[in-house]
Amino acid sequence: MSQRIERISEEFQKALSECIRTLKDPRVHEAMVSVTRCEVTGDLRYAKAYISVYGSDQQKKDVMRGLKSASGFLRRNVAAKIQLRYAPEILFTLDESITHGAHINEVLHELEEEGKL
């Protein structure tokens, strides 16, 4: 990936995070949501946003539905913030890496308590 696209991806991530915080949709507003990573394609047509949600499986599904329904609003606002000629279409993907990391940490802690580590 070129340096320019990497820089745009980082800016896109920051702007998207800010815009998600302003959403009034209760599905998104009531959960703890963070944008862990963004990847903008070289032609700036698509942006894949990895979303981490802290909560139950139902909350995760609700947040993803809420983000998908607000994608037009988010697309316009993010493009305006980072001043892109074309507003990339946002593809939301649930990122389970934080949950997975917390689970691994929990298992390691249990093993440590049992004296197996």
Side-chain angles (χ1 to χ4, degrees):
M1 198 174 348
S2 75
Q3 248 185 336
R4 177 177 177 265
I5 297 299
E6 282 181 34
R7 199 171 60 246
I8 290 171
S9 294
E10 287 175 18
E11 289 299 316
F12 195 91
Q13 178 182 347
K14 288 176 192 169
L16 182 60
S17 293
E18 288 174 20
C19 290
I20 286 175
R21 274 188 239 116
T22 66
L23 285 179
K24 295 197 179 5
D25 188 328
R27 296 175 290 191
V28 178
H29 189 69
E30 292 171 2
M32 197 169 108
V33 180
S34 61
V35 182
T36 57
R37 193 173 80 222
C38 281
E39 294 173 354
V40 178
T41 58
D43 61 359
L44 303 178
R45 295 290 180 201
Y46 297 96
K48 192 170 191 179
Y50 294 89
I51 307 296
S52 178
V53 181
Y54 187 76
S56 67
D57 287 341
Q58 186 58 46
Q59 273 184 311
K60 292 175 183 180
K61 288 176 186 172
D62 290 344
V63 166
M64 296 310 283
R65 278 193 216 112
L67 290 174
K68 192 169 186 168
S69 71
S71 64
F73 168 81
L74 292 170
R75 184 179 181 180
R76 277 190 309 277
N77 285 352
V78 170
K81 277 183 186 283
I82 59 176
Q83 299 173 345
L84 289 176
R85 187 175 296 142
Y86 301 109
E89 184 178 329
I90 306 170
L91 308 171
F92 294 103
T93 304
L94 190 61
D95 186 359
E96 296 283 357
S97 64
I98 293 175
T99 308
H100 187 67
H103 175 70
I104 289 172
N105 199 23
E106 210 173 281
V107 170
L108 288 172
H109 186 69
E110 287 172 13
L111 287 173
E112 195 173 288
E113 284 181 348
E114 292 173 10
K116 294 181 180 176
L117 262 183

